[in-house]
Amino acid sequence: MAENYVKFGESKLRNNCPKCYAQDGLKFSFYNKIEDTKLYTRATKQVKGELNCSHCESQIYPALWTDEIDRIYLYNLKRVGKPETYQRFKPLAIYILAGVVLAGAAAAFGIYYLKTK
């Protein structure tokens, strides 16, 4: 099962960067987890957030976040909302389902035909 993340929200901050102390370079990005298999593609409710600084061009990990940045993260997570979840079946799954339905109908018809004889 392949997993990838799709960006569904972004927010800029005016806080100081914990690494380079620049004030206008922080940006939160929110990603939605997508699971991809041979039978279906599904978007889950799982959200991953990243904080990046454009001045020092580095990712700021949650261990370095201040309490203020943590509160702003939670606020922005509420603001962007929950991502849309879905499950889409691929053609292989549809063919398998059609085959199972046809095999079940054939078995029911065979049982009915044998009982009437």
Side-chain angles (χ1 to χ4, degrees):
M1 174 170 46
E3 297 176 354
N4 56 353
Y5 289 87
V6 177
K7 185 189 290 187
F8 77 94
E10 189 172 85
S11 180
K12 292 186 178 184
L13 296 169
R14 294 192 52 119
N15 292 34
N16 291 337
C17 173
K19 286 188 177 181
C20 68
Y21 302 107
Q23 189 172 10
D24 292 332
L26 292 178
K27 179 173 57 171
F28 274 121
S29 300
F30 298 99
Y31 297 93
N32 185 18
K33 181 180 176 183
I34 306 292
E35 295 176 348
D36 193 23
T37 65
K38 291 181 180 180
L39 298 178
Y40 63 86
T41 302
R42 176 173 53 184
T44 63
K45 292 182 180 181
Q46 185 176 357
V47 175
K48 179 175 87 169
E50 287 183 356
L51 178 62
N52 294 310
C53 179
S54 62
H55 287 286
C56 61
E57 297 187 5
S58 63
Q59 182 177 354
I60 313 299
Y61 294 101
L64 297 175
W65 292 1
T66 61
D67 291 336
E68 186 176 287
I69 291 175
D70 196 30
R71 283 193 304 266
I72 292 172
Y73 170 77
L74 293 174
Y75 168 76
N76 284 316
L77 186 60
K78 283 183 185 178
R79 190 179 61 80
V80 295
K82 297 197 184 267
E84 179 181 333
T85 60
Y86 60 84
Q87 184 168 357
R88 295 186 182 132
F89 292 102
K90 293 185 177 179
L92 178 62
I94 295 170
Y95 294 144
I96 290 172
L97 180 63
V100 167
V101 168
L102 287 175
F109 179 73
I111 291 171
Y112 176 74
Y113 182 73
L114 289 175
K115 281 188 174 184
T116 57
K117 268 193 161 185

